[in-house]
Amino acid sequence: MRKMKDSGISFIGLIPEEWELKRAKYAASSISKGNGITKDDIVVDGDIPCVRYGEIYSKYNYAFNECVTRTKLEKVSSPQYFSHGDILFAGTGELVEEIGKSIVYMGHERCIAGGDIIILKHSQDPLYFGYALASIYAQIQKSAGKSKLKVVHISASDIGNIRILIPPYDEQVAIGKFINSKCIEINAVIADIQEQISTLEQYKRSVIAESVTRGLNTGVEMQESGAGWFTRIPVHWGFTKIDALYSLRSTKVSDYDYPPLSVTMNGIVPQLETAAKTNAHDDRKLVRKGDFAINSRSDRRGSCGISDYDGSVSLINTVLTPKGDMSPRYYNWLFHTTEFADEFYKWGHGIVDDLWTTNWQDMRNIILPVPPLNEQKEIAVFLDKKCASIDKIIAGKQEQLVTIEEYKKSLIFEYVTGKKEVPLA
């Protein structure tokens, strides 16, 4: 059993006696954010391999080459070169958990990074050094807690001052290869579970769409709807425009008088206490318990639901009050279908690509199916139970992902700090 010594760092603890503890800047040949080159210095024919900070933290899964994509040089601000073995850090993020996340570039083609990427060049084993830096930095984030800032930045100096363990080079190689092989296995399991979750979510969407437009009786005779977004409905169903089922609530109020609510993909929920109030009057819309609200902007697709509260929502939402004999829960399920979302935003207007608003004057003309009231209620009850069952399975698989991810982090940490030993070949 190898001899251990105290690292002097509480979250690292004991380390092998022969390992060195250095700041990253002393184990690297350079750490830079932008290296002074200009677009005129770069010779390129067409597209070039490039990575930007968002692609680092959104694809942080140690599938290193996946983070390198093709993009136009004109879209890259303050370009800089990187090459095989270099470690790239996200220098900017909306959360502490995002900044400092890294990839190791293991390709052999010289590439370009945007100016918000911190590039670390070194002569260590790339796999070991990359895993070690990422693991230690994650521990620093954990000990620092979470930030409530909108945008968080780190500098090359921040990265350079990270204290990292440097084993003998041959041991670095062995550890890097071992961790990488284990992570490939773990990532395959993660990908399989993520695919299962995706399949379940797709199944849930299909169950909802089938139930709200065709009913629960699969043997019933069908008729053409003529509505476009739902093609066929049971012969005994009717159809009508939305404004026959809902009336518009347009009362403006203050979020000081009426608690602020958020319209999300998971329905209408109380706004986070940390969210700032508007400090103004009549710049929100009144919502009463039982009202239905939907975000009218296309970039908030799927954000809608029935309110369980009296309160206020932002003006970008359309608030509707159910009228007549109908089941709001049935139509709540209908409004959450992909097909309705496509139809709803098709009626929108705007001058920005992929961003437009659907107002009530247009929305009110959308055709909806109208099952008999008893069927509306039966469908709503069926979907409540069926979707709850599917959601429970999905939640279980998401818990599995959390457990596996934690195991992966623990495994990396144990080996890059020398608490577990990789036999040398």
Side-chain angles (χ1 to χ4, degrees):
M1 186 173 180
R2 68 169 74 182
K3 291 183 179 180
M4 306 292 281
K5 63 183 179 182
D6 185 5
S7 68
I9 302 174
S10 60
F11 66 80
I12 292 180
L14 296 177
I15 61 173
E17 193 172 60
E18 68 276 16
W19 287 23
E20 295 183 83
L21 182 63
K22 294 183 176 180
R23 294 195 183 275
K25 60 186 174 184
Y26 299 125
S29 55
S30 71
I31 307 175
S32 62
K33 187 175 182 180
N35 54 14
I37 64 174
T38 68
K39 294 175 184 178
D40 293 335
D41 297 324
I42 301 172
V43 178
V44 59
D45 181 16
D47 288 352
I48 56 175
C50 177
V51 63
R52 290 172 290 183
Y53 80 87
E55 294 162 348
I56 290 181
Y57 64 73
S58 65
K59 296 185 178 180
Y60 181 61
N61 58 4
Y62 290 110
F64 305 110
N65 291 332
E66 289 183 9
C67 294
V68 180
T69 59
R70 312 294 296 189
T71 189
K72 296 285 187 182
L73 176 60
E74 289 75 15
K75 295 181 180 179
V76 182
S77 62
S78 304
Q80 50 187 328
Y81 284 120
F82 67 95
S83 55
H84 177 79
D86 290 350
I87 302 173
L88 284 65
F89 291 86
T92 305
E94 293 185 358
L95 299 170
V96 162
E97 292 85 347
E98 292 173 349
I99 62 168
K101 284 194 172 180
S102 60
I103 58 172
V104 181
Y105 178 57
M106 297 301 287
H108 294 278
E109 188 174 8
R110 198 180 195 194
C111 299
I112 296 294
D116 41 21
I117 298 291
I118 298 170
I119 299 176
L120 185 150
K121 295 182 178 294
H122 60 94
S123 58
Q124 311 298 325
D125 176 69
L127 288 177
Y128 168 79
F129 206 38
Y131 281 121
L133 277 167
S135 180
I136 299 300
Y137 192 86
Q139 293 294 323
I140 294 172
Q141 289 175 327
K142 185 176 180 180
S143 64
K146 297 184 178 181
S147 171
K148 295 180 180 179
L149 298 176
K150 281 293 183 182
V151 179
V152 189
H153 301 276
I154 56 169
S155 65
S157 177
D158 294 328
I159 297 296
N161 284 320
I162 295 173
R163 287 181 288 180
I164 189 167
L165 296 169
I166 306 297
Y169 189 80
D170 58 345
E171 195 168 358
Q172 290 184 35
V173 173
I175 294 171
K177 286 182 178 178
F178 175 81
I179 293 176
N180 204 48
S181 66
K182 289 295 182 182
C183 285
I184 289 172
E185 294 174 5
I186 294 169
N187 288 340
V189 175
I190 290 172
D192 181 61
I193 296 174
Q194 288 173 332
E195 185 176 352
Q196 292 175 38
I197 291 173
S198 178
T199 299
L200 285 165
E201 289 174 339
Q202 178 57 46
Y203 171 62
K204 177 182 171 181
R205 288 192 292 270
S206 66
V207 168
I208 295 171
E210 187 77 12
S211 300
V212 296
T213 59
R214 299 196 174 194
L216 305 179
N217 183 359
T218 56
V220 71
E221 184 180 351
M222 306 296 287
Q223 64 174 323
E224 296 297 326
S225 71
W229 70 273
F230 62 99
T231 56
R232 292 167 63 79
I233 58 174
V235 292
H236 63 287
W237 287 21
F239 41 84
T240 190
K241 292 181 180 180
I242 286 182
D243 64 1
L245 299 169
Y246 290 91
S247 58
L248 181 68
R249 187 189 294 280
S250 55
T251 305
K252 292 184 178 181
V253 295
S254 165
D255 56 7
Y256 275 91
D257 298 325
Y258 292 88
L261 305 173
S262 295
V263 181
T264 74
M265 293 184 68
N266 295 318
I268 300 176
V269 298
Q271 198 174 81
L272 295 175
E273 291 183 4
T274 53
K277 285 187 167 59
T278 58
N279 196 28
H281 294 287
D282 300 339
D283 61 348
R284 306 272 293 177
K285 285 184 180 178
L286 175 66
V287 174
R288 292 295 189 187
K289 184 176 180 179
D291 283 353
F292 178 84
I294 183 168
N295 195 301
S296 61
R297 278 178 37 164
S298 59
D299 62 338
R300 298 293 187 268
R301 171 183 292 265
S303 296
C304 62
I306 297 173
S307 181
D308 292 324
Y309 316 90
D310 286 341
S312 62
V313 297
S314 67
L315 296 179
I316 199 65
N317 296 289
T318 299
V319 181
L320 304 177
T321 299
K323 61 183 182 181
D325 292 330
M326 50 94 85
S327 168
R329 286 167 53 218
Y330 163 79
Y331 285 102
N332 185 49
W333 283 114
L334 179 74
F335 293 148
H336 275 92
T337 63
T338 301
E339 292 79 5
F340 176 80
D342 290 343
E343 178 70 10
F344 177 76
Y345 293 113
K346 186 182 77 176
W347 288 78
H349 304 276
I351 58 174
V352 180
D353 288 345
D354 299 325
L355 178 58
W356 54 92
T357 300
T358 303
N359 59 42
W360 170 243
Q361 294 305 314
D362 294 313
M363 177 187 181
R364 67 190 301 172
N365 293 313
I366 297 176
I367 301 296
L368 300 181
V370 183
L373 182 58
N374 66 312
E375 280 194 58
Q376 293 181 31
K377 294 177 179 179
E378 288 173 1
I379 293 169
V381 170
F382 168 77
L383 288 175
D384 287 344
K385 293 180 179 179
K386 184 69 174 178
C387 292
S389 175
I390 297 172
D391 288 342
K392 185 176 180 180
I393 298 172
I394 291 174
K397 293 188 178 297
Q398 289 170 335
E399 288 179 6
Q400 291 178 28
L401 286 179
V402 171
T403 301
I404 294 170
E405 289 285 3
E406 288 302 316
Y407 166 73
K408 176 180 169 182
K409 291 176 184 177
S410 175
L411 179 143
I412 294 170
F413 184 75
E414 292 290 310
Y415 281 98
V416 299
T417 57
K419 292 172 179 55
K420 290 187 178 179
E421 188 173 359
V422 176
L424 299 180

